[in-house]
Amino acid sequence: MAGGNLSVVLHAKGDLRLENRPIPEPGPSEVLLQMHSVGICGSDVHFWQNGRIGDFVVTKPMVLGHEAAGRVMKVGSEVKHLKVGDRVAIEPGVPREMDELFKNGRYNLSPTIFFCATPPDDGNLCQYYKHSANFCYKLPDNVTFEEGALAEPLSVGIHACRRAGVTLGTTVLICGAGPIGLVCLLVAKAMGASQVVITDLAPERLTMAKELGADFQLTVKRGDTPQQLAESVEEKLGAQPHVTIECSGVESSIQTAIYATRPGGVVALVGLGAEMANIPLIHAALREVDIRGVFRYCNTWPMAVAMLASGKVNVKPLVTHRFPLEQAVQAFETSRQGLGIKVMLKCDQNDQKP
């Protein structure tokens, strides 16, 4: 481990730099990881372009990255379940205290949670990174580092489908065929959804959705009203869906989700848009359509890793671009332009394989 720790650091809005930082030393309950694969998330790009997301503001230099997998290099004195050489996927949200939300199993909602690459917490887009060992999950031999990194977006899909109540025979509408919409599609199918219709403005994303198992694709046109889109969904499925998973955060798309969902159904809001949105709330209330928030995930990594290991879910097609860590700025620009689906950075100079 001679040399520095090359890291992708956001200093301020639009100011992304590659710089060497010290190699951290793990505490008693932590492990030091040599990072291998880290995906670029829309939130990473948003922080870079805007310097903030909602109340989370970049006020000091911050390492980006939270979709990650690596290899254990050192283990703290209290760590029992991991050893040097183990390949692990990293859950980026680690509770700092045993509050009521933690006790109830909903630690993702803890107001004091540590979360990679959310100000003021550093992420793991670097060569060496330390993390709580309890939030590192050993990868089976047949699961690649890239699949391990994709356990993070996959976890968003798992948490969303759980919150929405997707189960055997559920019909599902997914609004938005970006990376999160596509993992929601994969998970919904794996959890037993009988039919899934997915919408997007971009035909190429819908083509990918079809390849990943979507039963119906619906191209959204700029002039479509939410009510018209809802009718189109019903025509495709032959009935209104039990569940709608909204992955865009766009106001008109949230409206479509409410209009489209059948009485007694569920709308799960995954996409993050403007703080305020005009929605047909009375329309939802009179038909007892439940609107449920989805914030990150909790208790999902064991399922995600099991899904990957069993082959029930195939996330490999999602990775469309790969860059060495040294080309991080170019990788971020590729992601910003919306090229492909998932851009993956390779942090180990001696191992650039998936």
Side-chain angles (χ1 to χ4, degrees):
M1 298 192 307
N5 179 17
L6 193 64
S7 306
V8 179
V9 184
L10 180 64
H11 280 253
K13 176 181 175 180
D15 185 2
L16 191 64
R17 306 181 200 175
L18 272 167
E19 56 190 43
N20 269 309
R21 291 194 158 197
I23 296 173
E25 192 63 32
S29 62
E30 295 176 324
V31 287
L32 176 67
L33 303 169
Q34 180 178 17
M35 301 307 298
H36 186 284
S37 297
V38 182
I40 297 177
C41 174
S43 66
D44 293 316
V45 176
H46 195 93
F47 275 124
W48 170 41
Q49 292 296 295
N50 300 281
R52 67 183 298 157
I53 294 177
D55 294 334
F56 296 107
V57 183
V58 178
T59 57
K60 65 182 181 67
M62 176 182 78
V63 179
L64 290 172
H66 61 266
E67 302 179 2
R71 191 185 301 276
V72 177
M73 302 296 288
K74 277 187 186 179
V75 296
S77 58
E78 297 173 6
V79 178
K80 301 289 186 283
H81 69 290
L82 294 173
K83 63 183 187 302
V84 172
D86 282 346
R87 301 159 58 253
V88 298
I90 301 166
E91 180 173 359
V94 181
R96 283 188 168 96
E97 57 184 308
M98 184 74 76
D99 58 17
E100 287 302 314
L101 290 159
F102 191 140
K103 292 176 188 174
N104 290 330
R106 302 184 74 178
Y107 56 86
N108 57 311
L109 302 178
S110 175
T112 59
I113 194 169
F114 166 92
F115 198 88
C116 290
T118 297
D121 302 328
D122 282 325
N124 43 34
L125 194 37
C126 49
Q127 288 172 311
Y128 299 101
Y129 170 74
K130 70 173 183 179
H131 199 68
S132 168
N134 286 327
F135 289 77
C136 294
Y137 300 82
K138 192 172 174 180
L139 294 175
D141 292 342
N142 68 330
V143 177
T144 67
F145 281 111
E146 282 188 0
E147 289 176 289
L150 290 169
E152 195 277 344
L154 188 59
S155 283
V156 177
I158 292 170
H159 189 57
C161 287
R162 281 177 176 170
R163 290 278 295 150
V166 176
T167 187
L168 203 61
T170 306
T171 53
V172 180
L173 163 64
I174 296 172
C175 301
I180 296 303
L182 294 175
V183 292
C184 287
L185 161 64
L186 289 170
V187 175
K189 279 293 195 175
M191 286 184 171
S194 57
Q195 291 185 306
V196 178
V197 56
I198 191 164
T199 68
D200 204 279
L201 288 162
E204 63 273 14
R205 288 191 163 182
L206 293 176
T207 300
M208 171 69 85
K210 184 177 183 180
E211 291 169 4
L212 293 175
D215 298 282
F216 305 102
Q217 305 82 47
L218 185 59
T219 305
V220 178
K221 298 178 182 62
R222 294 285 179 189
D224 293 338
T225 68
Q227 291 94 331
Q228 286 171 333
L229 284 167
E231 288 171 12
S232 297
V233 170
E234 187 172 0
E235 286 170 17
K236 294 266 187 194
L237 285 173
Q240 292 177 307
H242 298 102
V243 163
T244 298
I245 303 174
E246 206 297 304
C247 299
S248 73
V250 176
E251 182 179 270
S252 60
S253 187
I254 300 170
Q255 294 167 356
T256 298
I258 291 171
Y259 285 126
T261 306
R262 74 175 59 186
V266 175
V267 172
L269 301 179
V270 183
L272 296 176
E275 185 178 357
M276 302 297 284
N278 287 305
I279 61 169
L281 198 57
I282 302 306
H283 192 79
L286 293 177
R287 298 184 308 119
E288 294 192 1
V289 171
D290 292 352
I291 300 172
R292 298 179 187 171
V294 176
F295 184 60
R296 295 173 180 160
Y297 31 63
C298 58
N299 306 303
T300 54
W301 255 257
M303 180 185 280
V305 173
M307 280 179 156
L308 293 167
S310 68
K312 294 277 189 231
V313 163
N314 179 18
V315 294
K316 291 176 182 176
L318 297 177
V319 181
T320 52
H321 295 75
R322 294 177 178 87
F323 292 87
L325 184 61
E326 293 76 11
Q327 295 177 20
V329 176
Q330 185 181 341
F332 267 79
E333 183 58 33
T334 301
S335 189
R336 185 190 69 80
Q337 291 176 20
L339 304 174
I341 301 292
K342 179 58 65 178
V343 177
M344 192 68 67
L345 278 155
K346 314 302 287 186
C347 302
D348 183 349
Q349 290 175 319
N350 300 315
D351 183 6
Q352 299 280 300
K353 297 192 297 292

